[in-house]
Amino acid sequence: MPRTPIQHTFAPSHRRSSLQTRLTRVALASLAAWMAAPAFALYDPADAGTEPRTDRVIVKYRNAANSSTLDSNTLSKARNAGNRQGLSLNHQRARGDGNHVLRANRAMTLTEAQTLADAIRSGDGNVEYAEPDRIMRIQLLPNDTSYSSQWHYSESTAGLNLPAAWDKSTGSGVVVAVIDTGYRPHADLAANIVSGYDFIIDTAVSNDGNGRDGDAADPGDAVTANECGYAHTAQASSWHGTHVAGTIAALTNNGSGVAGVAFGAKVMPVRVLGKCGGYTSDIADAIIWASGGTVSGVAATSTPAKVLNLSLGGSGACDTTTQNAINTARSRGSVVVVAAGNSNTNVSNASPANCSGVIAVAAVNRSGGRAYYSNYGALVDVAAPGGDVRTAASNGILSTLNAGASAPGSDSYAWYQGTSMATPHVAGVVALMLAKNSALTPDEVETRLKASARAFPSTCTDCGAGLVDASAAVDAAAGTTTPTPTPVTTTVAEVETNNTRAKAQSITANPALVNGSIGSSSDTDYFKVSIAAGKTLVATLAPKSGADFDLYAYNSAGTRTALSNLAGSATDTVSVRNSGTTAITYYLRVVRYAGTGTYTLKLSQ
């Protein structure tokens, strides 16, 4: 391996503790053996998301409450109502509480059954009531032995609300590309894998002895100390792509292991990360190819992915190569879901999460607050469970893994933490949405996902629209709820000189993202905003790393009414409420405390 660092290296966006590593190698290798499996009689998951049908109606007759049969005149009236709908009705049985079950010659939708019941009731004055004999189904609770350890799916505090979603969609028919380290043919995952590709050209990175080929299997990405050309410790193989893929589509209700968010979907493994990371050029090619585009020298995929999961990232602005690749993927209808990053900093400096057109995902802990490592900021769209293994490994995200320290070993399971783990939760939910409504565009998916998210149960400042709710998102996709459209943020460039209130730059867009800069120790920037009656202006200032800027708010008379002066490069936020009946004018001021450089100022009301 060359001593020089890989240019623009990307790394998997996850972290694991030494405690978690020990559990992975020892206890979790036999996890399935000690987890008790609840036994449930379940409906076929292939039927999930379809409207339940029935071939029966229940009718209560006033004069036949104690009869085991119906007289010919009574039955004839019911049959006449059925004939008008093209149905043939027969008496099936009497029930113990005095009503009768009539059975049709074919299954009906609930709407048809209700229409029949109404017709029977209106055509016979002897009918006390009539109603469809509906088929009831339990909410899917998988019998996977470790499902009970996947708090991130069902716990009411910070879980994904998946059981309710599974009754409506399992992701069937959707392919999700996991653009990552490749995959291992884990027994709890392999049946849901479709053909992928290895896009790593550099053999020092690929670690499999060759360049690009059709084998996306993960040979391991372990490195020795300092092998990547900078100071770092030795690292065992992460098997990162296998963990991510398991969260999306591990085999479910198969009596072993873990469950997947969209277990009816298929995973396309696309290998771009190896030893020390991966190249932007490889990643961009993978984005294009996985979405059904053309890459020179690579045969087109026969299973284009409608969802692309990128649990990877690096620092800096979104590069043109990656942005162009994302644009082409979106043009083919693919939704791109990206990890916000694990640097506890503003996502504006984390690529590709800061690229346009992606769904950037922050991570929450088991309490529903922002995970200590998660990036944040105005460019974050939503948050999902990412875990925190510092106090207990079981507070992380449990998924499929491999037990090999360097080269592949036996199948295992592990609790990981990171925005890498939050991202496949969202990618899986997007698959559930698209299986329910395949006509949704990437923008419509994002809008409905964000509009259906629920409020954070704990502090998660700058974590996007809310915590993803799988069941509500599927409803939003189907149109059974009417999501509130997400306002489009307008980007505004700062215009100098604006160093006094009299020269304040007027910002009229709502919401607006101002790109500004502090160029010297004497520089200061003022912005003028009109706050509508009854509205609250929220202003969020995010300086570049290494700079310390503060945020002040002044009323129209020039009196300072609010300030935020957090230390270092922390994000400052102020809010101003207009409780009056007419619009008021306010001024926001960006003040230098230390350093110079760029910043973003998000304004919304």
Side-chain angles (χ1 to χ4, degrees):
M1 186 74 181
R3 296 290 294 174
T4 55
I6 295 175
Q7 188 174 7
H8 205 161
T9 298
F10 285 79
S13 296
H14 85 283
R15 294 182 178 181
R16 58 178 173 177
S17 66
S18 57
L19 170 63
Q20 181 271 332
T21 301
R22 291 195 297 273
L23 284 168
T24 298
R25 304 306 178 198
V26 183
L28 292 178
S30 58
L31 183 64
W34 58 265
M35 295 296 292
F40 294 97
L42 301 172
Y43 65 94
D44 186 346
D47 292 334
T50 62
E51 183 185 39
R53 292 172 177 259
T54 181
D55 60 355
R56 304 170 194 185
V57 290
I58 301 171
V59 185
K60 177 70 177 291
Y61 290 98
R62 294 183 176 88
N63 67 349
N66 299 317
S67 174
S68 61
T69 62
L70 291 177
D71 64 80
S72 59
N73 183 55
T74 299
L75 184 56
S76 177
K77 291 179 181 180
R79 284 174 168 168
N80 288 338
N83 289 339
R84 288 191 291 272
Q85 288 184 231
L87 298 166
S88 175
L89 291 180
N90 285 297
H91 181 263
Q92 187 190 46
R93 65 186 179 93
R95 296 189 61 253
D97 59 357
N99 52 34
H100 294 257
V101 178
L102 305 184
R103 185 174 184 178
N105 62 328
R106 66 172 175 83
M108 300 168 283
T109 65
L110 289 182
T111 300
E112 291 175 315
Q114 185 62 60
T115 300
L116 174 61
D118 293 343
I120 292 173
R121 186 178 62 252
S122 63
D124 188 347
N126 189 38
V127 173
E128 183 176 329
Y129 65 83
E131 60 193 9
D133 190 2
R134 295 185 299 164
I135 297 174
M136 297 292 181
R137 306 186 300 192
I138 66 170
Q139 291 188 344
L140 177 59
L141 294 175
N143 62 8
D144 303 76
T145 50
S146 301
Y147 173 71
S148 60
S149 294
Q150 293 180 285
W151 61 267
H152 37 102
Y153 287 176
S154 60
E155 279 190 358
S156 59
T157 302
L160 211 60
N161 195 17
L162 264 177
W166 282 330
D167 280 343
K168 294 170 282 196
S169 177
T170 65
S172 179
V174 178
V175 175
V176 182
V178 174
I179 300 175
D180 212 290
T181 66
Y183 81 106
R184 294 309 308 165
H186 196 291
D188 208 11
L189 177 63
N192 274 345
I193 296 291
V194 298
S195 295
Y197 207 83
D198 180 354
F199 273 90
I200 302 176
I201 292 178
D202 192 319
T203 56
V205 177
S206 68
N207 197 35
D208 61 0
N210 54 46
R212 290 185 173 182
D213 57 35
D215 183 5
D218 185 353
D221 56 0
V223 292
T224 58
N226 307 325
E227 183 178 354
C228 297
Y230 58 91
H232 63 81
T233 60
Q235 298 168 12
S237 289
S238 67
W239 315 114
H240 187 268
T242 299
H243 196 280
V244 170
T247 297
I248 294 171
L251 301 184
T252 301
N253 199 39
N254 62 338
S256 85
V258 295
V261 173
F263 58 84
K266 299 296 184 183
V267 167
M268 173 199 289
V270 187
R271 189 164 180 253
V272 297
L273 301 178
K275 298 182 69 167
C276 305
Y279 286 98
T280 293
S281 54
D282 288 348
I283 294 167
D285 281 352
I287 291 170
I288 294 168
W289 180 85
S291 61
T294 301
V295 174
S296 178
V298 181
T301 176
S302 60
T303 55
K306 294 293 291 182
V307 189
L308 275 56
N309 186 105
L310 282 80
S311 290
L312 50 77
S315 62
C318 176
D319 56 87
T320 302
T321 299
T322 302
Q323 185 64 68
N324 287 344
I326 291 169
N327 292 345
T328 62
R330 282 171 47 84
S331 72
R332 286 182 285 275
S334 296
V335 180
V336 183
V337 187
V338 181
N342 301 326
S343 301
N344 187 27
T345 190
N346 196 288
V347 74
S348 61
N349 194 46
S351 179
N354 56 11
C355 294
S356 297
V358 305
I359 296 175
V361 183
V364 298
N365 54 34
R366 198 166 182 173
S367 299
R370 183 171 70 86
Y372 72 95
Y373 52 79
S374 179
N375 287 352
Y376 51 84
L379 297 181
V380 171
D381 293 298
V382 290
D388 181 349
V389 302
R390 292 179 299 175
T391 56
S394 58
N395 289 334
I397 305 303
L398 184 63
S399 187
T400 50
L401 209 75
N402 189 276
S406 180
S410 60
D411 292 348
S412 68
Y413 299 86
W415 280 290
Y416 273 8
Q417 65 175 21
T419 55
S420 270
M421 284 59 256
T423 303
H425 283 79
V426 177
V429 170
V430 171
L432 299 180
M433 296 172 70
L434 290 172
K436 193 69 175 177
N437 184 355
S438 61
L440 293 176
T441 66
D443 285 341
E444 288 170 336
V445 167
E446 180 178 342
T447 295
R448 298 187 189 202
L449 182 73
K450 292 163 72 171
S452 61
R454 69 180 189 269
F456 293 107
S458 187
T459 302
C460 200
T461 304
D462 283 344
C463 292
L467 184 59
V468 168
D469 185 307
S471 180
V474 172
D475 288 342
T480 53
T481 60
T482 304
T484 303
T486 301
V488 177
T489 300
T490 301
T491 301
V492 179
E494 178 212 354
V495 178
E496 295 279 3
T497 57
N498 58 343
N499 58 344
T500 64
R501 279 196 305 116
K503 296 180 179 180
Q505 180 178 347
S506 181
I507 306 296
T508 58
N510 178 39
L513 184 66
V514 180
N515 289 319
S517 65
I518 297 293
S520 67
S521 59
S522 61
D523 193 9
T524 187
D525 297 333
Y526 281 84
F527 301 93
K528 180 180 179 181
V529 182
S530 177
I531 307 177
K535 297 292 185 178
T536 299
L537 171 68
V538 179
T540 304
L541 171 67
K544 77 163 191 176
S545 179
D548 185 353
F549 303 157
D550 299 328
L551 184 60
Y552 296 176
Y554 302 83
N555 62 21
S556 58
T559 302
R560 193 178 73 195
T561 62
L563 69 89
S564 178
N565 57 352
L566 299 178
S569 301
T571 297
D572 290 294
T573 301
V574 299
S575 61
V576 180
R577 171 72 177 173
N578 178 7
S579 56
T581 57
T582 59
I584 60 175
T585 297
Y586 251 77
Y587 297 87
L588 284 307
R589 182 187 180 193
V590 179
V591 181
R592 175 191 177 275
Y593 180 79
T596 58
T598 60
Y599 64 83
T600 60
L601 177 64
K602 184 178 181 181
L603 306 173
S604 62
Q605 56 180 294

